[in-house]
Amino acid sequence: EAIRWAWEFLTEILKIDKDRLYVTIFKGDKEKPLERDKESYDYWTLNIDKNRILEGSEKDNFWEMGETGPCGPCSEIHIDIRDDGERRKTPGHLLVNKGHPQVIEIWNLVFIQYNRKANGDLEHLPSKHVDTGMGFERLCMVVQGKKSNYDTDVFQSVIAELSVITDKTYGK
């Protein structure tokens, strides 16, 4: 349900263009062994075209709070806010999780289902849950049509006051 609710909120409530969104799932790691997150993949196929579902590594799509403790695969929603010309030159899927400032994660769904023990082994938790998180400033940037968090109304009043105090113009 968390996947469906996240998608509904972004695309139906906020009306974010689906053609700018990509999602990632955990691709698994045979050496660990950790399975591919097929369940998330299957749910995403109900909402988004399969070519917009990208598989991510343990680094990007397996959440851990530390060396031990609760953990699990995660699925992220990314948005490409680049201009159309830039999007035609380089497809957004090539820039997901590559550090591009305008192809960014805006939502994370962590499926807490394991406990990592001190020896590194994973054990299934008796009770599983979903931990979701959204980048508020990033979402404001998207909804307000800005290219930087600092250009949103969240920051502009503070920046305007700082400009007065310092006698410096924002952006220069």
Side-chain angles (χ1 to χ4, degrees):
E1 290 177 321
I3 286 174
R4 183 171 43 91
W5 291 339
W7 189 254
E8 176 185 351
F9 180 70
L10 294 175
T11 63
E12 295 177 29
I13 306 296
L14 297 180
K15 307 290 186 203
I16 293 175
D17 184 354
K18 294 175 186 177
D19 290 336
R20 291 186 170 272
L21 296 172
Y22 296 91
V23 299
T24 60
I25 63 155
F26 179 53
K27 70 179 177 181
D29 186 332
K30 292 178 183 172
E31 293 179 20
K32 294 289 179 169
L34 289 169
E35 293 182 13
R36 177 179 181 263
D37 188 0
K38 183 179 179 330
E39 185 176 9
S40 290
Y41 177 83
D42 290 344
Y43 276 105
W44 279 121
T45 62
L46 301 175
N47 296 287
I48 190 170
D49 191 87
K50 289 178 183 180
N51 66 2
R52 294 185 162 281
I53 304 171
L54 310 173
E55 293 188 342
S57 67
E58 185 175 3
K59 174 185 165 281
D60 291 320
N61 285 100
F62 193 88
W63 183 88
E64 298 182 87
M65 63 185 295
E67 291 182 23
T68 62
C71 57
C74 67
S75 183
E76 302 168 337
I77 304 172
H78 297 258
I79 188 161
D80 183 349
I81 60 171
R82 295 174 301 145
D83 296 329
D84 289 339
E86 292 178 54
R87 291 175 63 217
R88 281 190 292 275
K89 288 180 196 172
T90 306
H93 74 274
L94 297 175
L95 301 174
V96 170
N97 281 331
K98 303 293 189 224
H100 193 288
Q102 294 176 348
V103 181
I104 56 173
E105 175 190 333
I106 56 173
W107 200 299
N108 192 357
L109 302 143
V110 181
F111 304 104
I112 304 293
Q113 58 193 38
Y114 301 109
N115 179 54
R116 183 162 315 270
K117 295 168 41 173
N119 67 2
D121 288 347
L122 293 175
E123 61 186 1
H124 286 275
L125 290 171
S127 181
K128 298 167 177 57
H129 69 276
V130 180
D131 179 2
T132 75
M134 173 181 57
F136 177 73
E137 294 87 354
R138 291 178 177 195
L139 189 62
C140 289
M141 180 177 66
V142 170
V143 170
Q144 294 174 23
K146 306 295 183 183
K147 300 289 184 188
S148 166
N149 291 341
Y150 301 110
D151 293 333
T152 66
D153 61 7
V154 174
F155 293 102
Q156 277 301 297
S157 62
V158 173
I159 290 171
E161 186 63 24
L162 289 171
S163 293
V164 170
I165 293 168
T166 63
D167 196 32
K168 302 286 183 191
T169 303
Y170 171 62
K172 291 188 180 178

